[in-house]
Amino acid sequence: MARFVLRVVAILLLPTLVAAVTACGSAANVNGGFATDVAATKVEVQTDPSGALRWDKTAYETTAGDVTFVVTNTSGQGHDFSVQGNGINVTSGTFRDNAPHNFTIKGLKAGSYTIVCTLPGHKEAGMIAKLTVK
C-alpha cells in the first residue's frame, strides 16, 4: 500500500517538478544569461573597427542598476560578450553580424568588472576591458 501511495504522489508531482526545472533552465539560458528587456541605462560597446582582437575602448563606466550593453561586432569575425566579476559571470552566444545586440544585467552593483570575449585566443590577444560601475 505504501508503494502505491508513493507512486501516486510521484505521478502527481512529476509535472510540477518538470515545469519547475524547465523554467529554471530556460531563465538561466535566455540570451546567454543576460535579461532580454532593454534598460534605460545603456553602455555602447563595439569591437575594434580595424579588425584587431580588442574592444573599441579599454575601459567603460556606468551607474549601478539595470544596465543594457549595446554591443556591435564591426569586425566580421565571430565574438561573444561576457561580463565577469563581483558575483556576475554572464556570456552571450557568438555573433558575427554588424547589428547591435542588447545584453541586459538587472541590478548591476557598484564595483569593478571585466568585459571580455571568451572565444579561444581572443582574451589573450587583448579583447578585454575594464568596467567600472558607480
Side-chain angles (χ1 to χ4, degrees), residues 39-106:
T41 301
K42 295 178 184 68
V43 176
E44 301 278 337
V45 179
Q46 291 186 20
T47 59
D48 186 298
S50 74
L53 291 177
R54 57 182 179 245
W55 301 110
D56 63 331
K57 299 178 185 176
T58 58
Y60 299 87
E61 189 174 295
T62 191
T63 56
D66 297 351
V67 177
T68 295
F69 297 89
V70 182
V71 184
T72 306
N73 180 356
T74 60
S75 73
Q77 65 179 305
H79 294 292
D80 65 18
F81 179 76
S82 182
V83 177
Q84 303 170 356
N86 208 18
I88 300 287
N89 187 4
V90 288
T91 303
S92 75
T94 302
F95 51 95
R96 297 181 189 286
D97 57 351
N98 195 16
H101 296 269
N102 295 321
F103 302 113
T104 301
I105 298 177
K106 295 202 165 259

